[in-house]
Amino acid sequence: MENAQYYRSLSRNLVSIVIVVSFTPLLLIAALIGYSFETSYKGKSIAYLKETVKRNQQNIDVFLSEKLDYLKVLSRSYTFEELTDEKFLARKLAILQDAYGGVFVDLGVVNSQGIQVAYAGMFKLERADYSKAEWFKTAMKRTHFISDVFLGLRRSPHFIVSIKHNWRGEDYILRATVDFVQFNSLVENVRIGETGHAFIMNRAGEFQTKVGPETEANREFYMALLQKNGLKWEDGGLDAVSGVPSFTYSYWDSPYKEIILTGEGRRGGDDFVYIMTPLKSGEWVLVFQQDKSDAFRDLRRARFLALAILLLGGASIAVTAILVSRKMVSRIEMSDREKEMMNEQVIETGKLASVGELAAGIAHEINNPVAIMVEEAGWIEDLLRDETQMEASKLEEVKRALTQINTQGERCKEITHKLLSFARRTDPRVVEVNINEVLEEILSISEQRSKFSNVKLEKNLDPDLPHIMASPSELQQVFLNLINNSLDAIGTGGGTITVTSRLADDRLVVDVADTGTGMPKAILARIFEPFFTTKPVGKGTGLGLAICYGIIKKMGGDITVNSAVGVGTTMHVYLPVPKGAVP
Amino acid sequence: MGPTVVMLVDDEVPFVETMTKRLAVRDLTVLNAFSGPEALEKLEKERHVDVIILDVKMPGMDGIETLREIKARYPLIEVIMLTGHGTIETAIEGMKLGAFDYLLKPTNIDQLMTKVQEARAKKRAHEDKIMQARLQEIALRRGD
Ligand SMILES: [Mg+2]
C-alpha cells in the first residue's frame, strides 16, 4: 500500500516536472513572439490606416479649397453688375454644375446688409435676408469662409462656401451652397474592412457628415478625448491679412496636416481604434473609427491559431508526459521488485558462502574423530587376527577401543548437529530472540577454526539483556560473517576476538573486536559495498558485509566500524529493542 | 640394519596413541609427539628417526611450519603428511617443501606401511650414496 502511494507520487512528480520543463519555454516563447508580433502587426495596421486617413484628409481639404478657388475666380473675373445679373449667374451655375457634377447647389450674391441681391438655384431665395445668420456674420469678417453644416432657410443640411469681395468701396459676398450628399460621399467612401468608417466633427462636437447611431453615441467619447489629449484649438485671433482664424495646437507643434491622433476606445463591449486628424484649418476633425476585431482581424486569426497550436501541443505534451512517466515508473517498480528478489537471492548465496567456509572447518573437525574410530577399529582387527591368544589384557584393550569409538562417534554427532542447526534454509521469520544464545552458538561453531588459527575467542556477554525481535537465522549469518572476517584479519599469526553484548541508549549493542591487521581509511570507507573484497580472487565474494549491512538495516539497526592499522578492528552492531522490553 | 624408527606427530591424542600401538605391532619403533614444537624437541634427542608421519592441521605451529623446520634441520629425514580432504593444497605445498608423500585421513594402515617402507628405503639409499661419496673421497685422498 505504502509502495503504491510512493510510485503514484513518483509518477505525479515526473509528470509535473516534464510538463513544467516543457511548458515554461513554450509559454515564454509564445508570449514573447506573440507580443512582438502583435506590436509590429498593430503598428503596421495603424500606419496603414493613418496613411489612408491622411490621404482622405488631403482629398477633403483639396475638395474644399477647390470650391473656394472657383468662387474666387468668379468674383475676380466679373464685375458686381455681371454677377448680380441673375441670368449670368444661372449660366455660371450651370457651367459649374456641369463641371463638378452638381456639387454646387446654388450661387448667390449677398450685399453688405445681408440681403441676397442675386440668386441662381432651385430654391426661391431671391432677396433672402441673411443679416441675422451666423455664417453671414463670420463671412463678413474674413476673406473667405466655409461654414459648418446647417439646415438654414431651406431646411436641409448644407454648407456654405463664400468669398468676400470689394466693389467700389462696398463689400459683398459671393456664396455657393455645396451639396451635402456630394460632400458626404467623400467621407462615406472612406471604408476599410467591415466596420472602418470616417466622419467629420466640428470643434463643438457637431457631426458634419452623416453618421450612424453608434457613432452618434460616441460623441461624448471623442469630445472628452479632444479635451483630455490637449487637442485644443486655441483661438489665436484672426489672421491680419485674410481674416481667417489662426489656431495653435497645444498638444502638437507640427504643421497641422501632420497631426494625427491615434488610440483605442471602448464603448459597451466593442473595442475600437480611432484616428483623428484636423480638417479645414483645424475647425473640423476627421475621425476614422474601426472595430478592433475588424482592424486586427488577421491578428485575431493568428492568435487563435497560436492558441490552438499551444493547446494541442500542450495536450500532447501532457499526454506524453503521463504515458512516459507511467511507463518509466512501472519500469522502476519492476526493477525495484527484481532488486528485492535479487537481494533475497544474494542473502541466500551469502548464507551458502558462509556455510561453505564453515564446511571446510567442519570437515576437518569430523575427519579427526573418524580417523580415530578407523584406527581403533583397525587396532581391534589387529588384536583379533591372532584368535588363539585371547588373553584378558587383549579383551581389556578391545573394550577400551570400543569405548573410544563410542566417544568419537558422539563427537561426530555433536559436530553434525551443530552444522545442521546452522545450515537450515535462511528463515527470515521474526521471533523473540535471546541474542546471547545466538552468540554462544556462533562462538561454538567458530571454535574449531579459531583453534587452528591460534585465535582466542573471548566472550563478554551481559546476562540481563532484553529479548529482541529478529530472525535467528539472519542474526547467525551476520555474526558468523563478522567472526569469519575477524579470523581472516588475524590470519595465522594468532590473536584474540572478543565478542561483547551490552545495552546502550535503549539499543542492544554487540561488539566484535579483533586484534587483526586493521584497515586503512580507504578500505574502511568501502567495506559495506557489495562485491568489495580485499581477499584474493576466488577467496571472497565481497558480499559478506554488504549482506550483514542489509540484514541489520532491514531490522532497523546499524553497523559501524572502528579500525586502526596494526591494532585491530571492532565492528559495532546496533539492534533495536522493542518498546517496553528494556528492563 | 636396525628396525625402522618412525615419529608420529598429531594433535589428536587418542589417534596418536592407537596408531602408535598399531605401528608397533608391525615391527616399527614408534616415537610420538602431540605438536610441532614437541616433535622438534624430541628429534633433538632422538637422532635415529627415519620417517616422520606429520599431521598438517594442528593448532599453534601447523604441519607446514613444522615440516619446514624439520627439513631445515634434518634434510635426510623423510616426512609423510597426513591431511584431510579440504587441505590437499596444503599437502601439495608440503611436497614442494620436500615431503616424501601425503596420505588422506582416515588412513589405510597397509597403505601407510607401504609409504613408510618406501620412505625409509629412499632415506637409506640417500644415506648410502652419501657414505659412498665419502668413501670415494677418502680413497681419492689416499690415492694421490
Ligand atoms: Mg589435527
Side-chain angles (χ1 to χ4, degrees):
Chain A
M1 276 292 90
E2 214 172 90
N3 272 355
Q5 203 164 352
Y6 164 73
Y7 290 118
R8 259 207 301 281
S9 84
L10 189 67
S11 174
R12 253 201 314 277
N13 288 350
L14 273 174
V15 170
S16 33
I17 285 169
V18 170
I19 285 179
V20 165
V21 165
S22 25
F23 263 89
T24 309
L26 195 69
L27 289 176
L28 279 177
I29 287 173
L32 206 72
I33 290 180
Y35 177 76
S36 8
F37 176 71
E38 188 172 324
T39 313
S40 82
Y41 178 85
K42 275 190 179 172
K44 284 224 173 95
S45 302
I46 295 287
Y48 166 72
L49 291 179
K50 267 184 182 173
E51 261 330 293
T52 314
V53 168
K54 209 189 253 177
R55 212 169 50 240
N56 282 289
Q57 174 208 36
Q58 281 162 5
N59 277 350
I60 293 164
D61 266 346
V62 165
F63 174 90
L64 292 174
S65 61
E66 219 174 41
K67 306 304 165 280
L68 264 180
D69 285 346
Y70 270 94
L71 287 188
K72 205 180 265 176
V73 168
L74 271 183
S75 68
R76 297 292 187 276
S77 308
Y78 306 102
T79 62
F80 182 72
E81 279 80 15
E82 281 172 316
L83 290 173
T84 46
D85 175 0
E86 295 215 333
K87 276 179 189 149
F88 178 83
L89 204 59
R91 240 180 0 256
K92 290 295 159 201
L93 177 65
I95 292 167
L96 283 177
Q97 280 179 336
D98 188 43
Y100 289 102
V103 169
F104 288 99
V105 176
D106 58 12
L107 274 175
V109 178
V110 182
N111 69 12
S112 57
Q113 279 79 46
I115 305 298
Q116 186 152 263
V117 291
Y119 175 79
M122 56 205 266
F123 300 102
K124 301 271 179 260
L125 292 172
E126 293 89 354
R127 311 302 303 171
D129 184 0
Y130 290 116
S131 61
K132 299 281 189 298
E134 272 308 309
W135 73 265
F136 176 73
K137 288 177 189 167
T138 315
M140 282 302 283
K141 288 179 198 154
R142 306 185 188 177
T143 53
H144 56 268
F145 173 65
I146 299 169
S147 76
D148 283 345
V149 175
F150 66 108
L151 292 174
L153 296 172
R154 65 197 73 177
R155 317 312 302 170
S156 81
H158 65 283
F159 65 92
I160 289 167
V161 181
S162 69
I163 290 286
K164 190 176 78 176
H165 203 61
N166 196 281
W167 180 253
R168 292 182 184 150
E170 194 162 344
D171 288 339
Y172 74 93
I173 283 167
L174 179 61
R175 57 157 281 271
T177 303
V178 174
D179 178 31
F180 178 75
V181 178
Q182 289 271 338
F183 176 70
N184 195 51
S185 70
L186 266 186
V187 177
E188 264 188 346
N189 283 341
V190 184
R191 292 215 70 100
I192 298 173
E194 279 173 14
T195 60
H197 65 280
F199 55 90
I200 295 172
M201 288 171 87
N202 71 4
R203 294 196 289 126
E206 287 156 359
F207 291 105
Q208 302 299 304
T209 51
K210 259 201 280 185
V211 293
E214 279 178 30
T215 314
E216 188 88 51
N218 269 0
R219 210 181 85 106
E220 292 299 317
F221 170 79
Y222 286 113
M223 284 311 292
L225 199 70
L226 292 179
Q227 303 296 321
K228 188 177 146 212
N229 282 286
L231 188 68
K232 286 184 211 147
W233 285 265
E234 278 164 15
D235 212 324
L238 301 181
D239 186 271
V241 183
S242 66
V244 172
S246 71
F247 295 105
T248 55
Y249 303 100
S250 60
Y251 190 67
W252 298 293
D253 51 339
S254 48
Y256 98 87
K257 285 199 196 248
E258 293 298 317
I259 298 161
I260 281 187
L261 180 66
T262 63
E264 295 175 8
R266 169 187 281 264
R267 184 178 37 75
D270 295 330
D271 289 340
F272 57 87
V273 290
Y274 59 82
I275 294 168
M276 301 170 92
T277 186
L279 274 180
K280 212 178 114 196
S281 312
E283 285 176 300
W284 290 353
V285 189
L286 174 65
V287 180
F288 175 83
Q289 181 188 316
Q290 188 174 12
D291 283 358
K292 238 168 142 183
S293 57
D294 186 30
F296 305 134
R297 183 193 299 269
D298 287 348
L299 185 66
R300 261 166 67 111
R301 198 173 305 141
R303 222 187 244 167
F304 174 77
L305 207 68
L307 201 67
I309 289 171
L310 199 67
L311 282 178
L312 278 175
S316 60
I317 286 173
V319 167
T320 311
I322 288 168
L323 288 181
V324 167
S325 300
R326 279 213 189 130
K327 197 160 190 182
M328 227 149 93
V329 167
S330 84
R331 285 255 173 92
I332 290 171
E333 200 176 341
M334 213 191 297
S335 87
D336 279 357
R337 213 172 290 153
E338 268 169 24
K339 207 174 112 197
E340 226 162 82
M341 263 155 59
M342 192 90 100
N343 272 345
E344 274 162 29
Q345 279 170 1
V346 164
I347 288 177
E348 190 65 29
T349 313
K351 171 96 177 176
L352 288 177
S354 49
V355 168
E357 230 167 288
L358 197 68
I362 299 278
H364 268 282
E365 220 177 324
I366 289 180
N367 223 24
N368 281 323
V370 168
I372 293 167
M373 287 190 279
V374 169
E375 289 317 318
E376 293 292 357
W379 178 230
I380 292 170
E381 220 179 312
D382 287 348
L383 291 173
L384 293 182
R385 193 161 288 154
D386 201 1
E387 276 176 60
T388 48
Q389 305 172 311
M390 208 50 181
E391 301 149 23
S393 67
K394 259 191 189 173
L395 252 169
E396 211 43 48
E397 188 62 16
V398 171
K399 259 190 205 162
R400 189 209 53 80
L402 286 173
T403 315
Q404 185 63 256
I405 288 172
N406 216 15
T407 311
Q408 298 303 323
E410 281 296 321
R411 197 175 146 196
C412 284
K413 196 181 91 186
E414 228 171 88
I415 295 163
T416 50
H417 278 196
K418 254 195 243 173
L419 183 63
L420 282 174
S421 81
F422 185 82
R424 67 177 170 235
R425 201 181 172 281
T426 305
D427 182 1
R429 257 179 309 175
V430 171
V431 293
E432 203 174 299
V433 177
N434 179 351
I435 192 73
N436 289 342
E437 279 172 13
V438 174
L439 294 174
E440 295 271 14
E441 191 181 3
I442 295 299
L443 284 168
S444 85
I445 289 175
S446 305
E447 226 164 62
Q448 191 70 12
R449 199 183 155 202
S450 58
K451 194 173 93 187
F452 288 114
S453 306
N454 304 319
V455 175
K456 231 164 87 190
L457 286 180
E458 284 184 355
K459 54 190 177 187
N460 186 9
L461 308 179
D462 181 350
D464 299 322
L465 290 176
H467 287 191
I468 58 168
M469 298 305 292
S471 151
S473 106
E474 285 183 352
L475 283 179
Q476 280 175 352
Q477 193 176 350
V478 169
F479 293 113
L480 182 68
N481 251 302
L482 295 185
I483 288 176
N484 277 345
N485 283 347
S486 290
L487 284 168
D488 290 335
I490 291 172
T492 51
T496 311
I497 297 176
T498 312
V499 177
T500 310
S501 65
R502 62 196 164 93
L503 198 63
D505 299 333
D506 291 356
R507 280 200 296 183
L508 212 150
V509 188
V510 178
D511 309 305
V512 179
D514 66 58
T515 57
T517 49
M519 287 175 282
K521 273 220 168 96
I523 289 178
L524 215 52
R526 301 186 54 196
I527 56 169
F528 295 116
E529 284 176 26
F531 304 110
F532 176 78
T533 179
T534 56
K535 292 175 187 171
V537 177
K539 291 283 177 190
T541 56
L543 287 173
L545 275 179
I547 291 168
C548 291
Y549 191 79
I551 290 174
I552 296 298
K553 278 281 174 187
K554 194 182 78 185
M555 287 171 59
D558 202 1
I559 301 186
T560 61
V561 58
N562 291 337
S563 189
V565 175
V567 178
T569 304
T570 304
M571 307 286 301
H572 307 280
V573 178
Y574 298 89
L575 298 167
V577 173
K579 281 198 174 72
V582 183
Chain B
M1 266 207 231
T4 307
V5 182
V6 171
M7 181 183 272
L8 188 56
V9 186
D10 197 313
D11 59 310
E12 292 284 331
V13 179
F15 179 81
V16 172
E17 282 170 350
T18 310
M19 186 65 105
T20 303
K21 287 176 207 160
R22 295 195 74 192
L23 292 177
V25 298
R26 281 169 177 76
D27 300 326
L28 298 180
T29 306
V30 187
L31 303 172
N32 52 34
F34 301 108
S35 71
E38 192 188 344
L40 290 168
E41 204 180 299
K42 284 197 171 165
L43 279 174
E44 202 66 38
K45 294 171 203 152
E46 185 59 66
R47 299 295 182 106
H48 309 297
V49 174
D50 295 308
V51 180
I52 295 173
I53 300 164
L54 179 60
D55 183 25
V56 169
K57 199 106 179 175
M58 288 187 293
M61 191 179 189
D62 69 7
I64 293 295
E65 255 177 278
T66 313
L67 170 70
R68 200 176 277 130
E69 207 52 45
I70 291 169
K71 277 290 168 185
R73 293 187 198 176
Y74 318 103
L76 286 181
I77 298 180
E78 293 300 335
V79 178
I80 296 167
M81 312 290 292
L82 282 185
T83 175
H85 272 282
T87 47
I88 286 178
E89 295 95 331
T90 329
I92 291 163
E93 198 192 334
M95 306 271 284
K96 283 181 190 158
L97 285 170
F100 175 75
D101 208 341
Y102 72 91
L103 279 173
L104 292 178
K105 259 187 180 181
T107 45
N108 179 306
I109 193 80
D110 297 329
Q111 228 175 347
L112 178 63
M113 281 305 292
T114 315
K115 293 272 186 237
V116 168
Q117 298 306 342
E118 281 172 13
R120 192 211 177 211
K122 189 186 170 193
K123 191 203 173 216
R124 287 285 153 89
H126 227 125
E127 282 171 347
D128 285 350
K129 270 182 200 160
I130 292 167
M131 190 70 82
Q132 268 169 19
R134 286 217 178 110
L135 287 174
Q136 226 167 5
E137 198 183 20
I138 293 161
L140 278 172
R141 234 179 258 163
R142 278 217 190 127
D144 63 15

